Amino acid sequence: MSAPAPLRHIGCAVDFSPSSRAALHFAARLAFRDRAQLTLIHVVPIPMYYLADAFVPMSPATGFAIHDAARAELAKWQTEAQLDGAREVVGFVATGTASSEILRWASEHQPDALVVGQRGHAGLEALLLGSVADRVVRSATCPVVVVPAAAAKA
């Protein structure tokens, strides 16, 4: 049996949780091993307030500030991936539902693999709808590596 072809492009979804940090380290090691491009994908939820039995969107200025803060944090994670050996690390920030935006990115960029953490910051959404990792695994058209939450403690 021959060895699988090296990966050329890896997408890694990060929500800045300990589990996604473990996914980042795993993806960076894969990228180092195969000399692959690594894209870190962060999805900012649509900013909303809950007010009087209705969801109300936050102001555009608040949305831009949240997006800018996410980009700044993602830049730190890009540096961390480079310190782990990944040579070419790109950041991508989207706004929306995490699983939908990760899958949209994967459809548009056709990575050889996606790496996701088993658990993140999903909270109530995960209890009601299942985890982001579950939805990505079920719908992705490329291989998906799910890094277990226990790896974050290792």
Side-chain angles (χ1 to χ4, degrees), residues 23-36:
L24 167 84
H25 292 304
F26 184 86
R29 288 191 302 269
L30 281 178
F32 172 75
R33 182 194 73 189
D34 289 355
R35 296 184 176 94

Side-chain angles (χ1 to χ4, degrees), residues 48-68:
M48 299 265 210
Y49 290 115
Y50 184 71
L51 182 66
D53 296 329
F55 285 102
V56 179
M58 289 186 191
S59 72
T62 301
F64 289 134
I66 292 169
H67 219 264
D68 288 346

Side-chain angles (χ1 to χ4, degrees), residues 8-63:
R8 296 176 317 273
H9 190 192
I10 301 165
C12 179
V14 297
D15 65 0
F16 309 135
S17 67
S19 182
S20 70
R21 178 164 263 124
L24 167 84
H25 292 304
F26 184 86
R29 288 191 302 269
L30 281 178
F32 172 75
R33 182 194 73 189
D34 289 355
R35 296 184 176 94
Q37 177 183 340
L38 175 60
T39 300
L40 303 183
I41 307 153
H42 178 74
V43 180
V44 176
I46 298 170
M48 299 265 210
Y49 290 115
Y50 184 71
L51 182 66
D53 296 329
F55 285 102
V56 179
M58 289 186 191
S59 72
T62 301

Side-chain angles (χ1 to χ4, degrees), residues 106-117:
S107 174
E108 291 173 4
H109 294 89
Q110 299 293 304
D112 298 304
L114 287 170
V115 179
V116 297

Side-chain angles (χ1 to χ4, degrees), residues 99 122-135 138:
S99 58
L124 181 61
E125 179 186 359
L127 285 174
L128 298 175
L129 302 173
S131 74
V132 170
D134 290 339
R135 288 187 298 259
R138 283 195 303 266

Side-chain angles (χ1 to χ4, degrees), residues 70-144:
R71 267 195 278 269
E73 185 64 19
L74 192 61
K76 294 176 190 174
W77 284 53
Q78 286 173 250
T79 300
E80 197 170 326
Q82 290 168 330
L83 291 172
D84 277 351
R87 291 173 179 85
E88 185 181 352
V89 184
V90 177
F92 176 81
V93 178
T95 301
T97 304
S99 58
S100 297
E101 294 304 319
I102 293 164
L103 292 166
R104 181 187 330 272
W105 178 88
S107 174
E108 291 173 4
H109 294 89
Q110 299 293 304
D112 298 304
L114 287 170
V115 179
V116 297
Q118 184 179 21
R119 255 187 257 151
H121 288 307
L124 181 61
E125 179 186 359
L127 285 174
L128 298 175
L129 302 173
S131 74
V132 170
D134 290 339
R135 288 187 298 259
V136 169
V137 166
R138 283 195 303 266
S139 300
T141 57
C142 65
V144 178

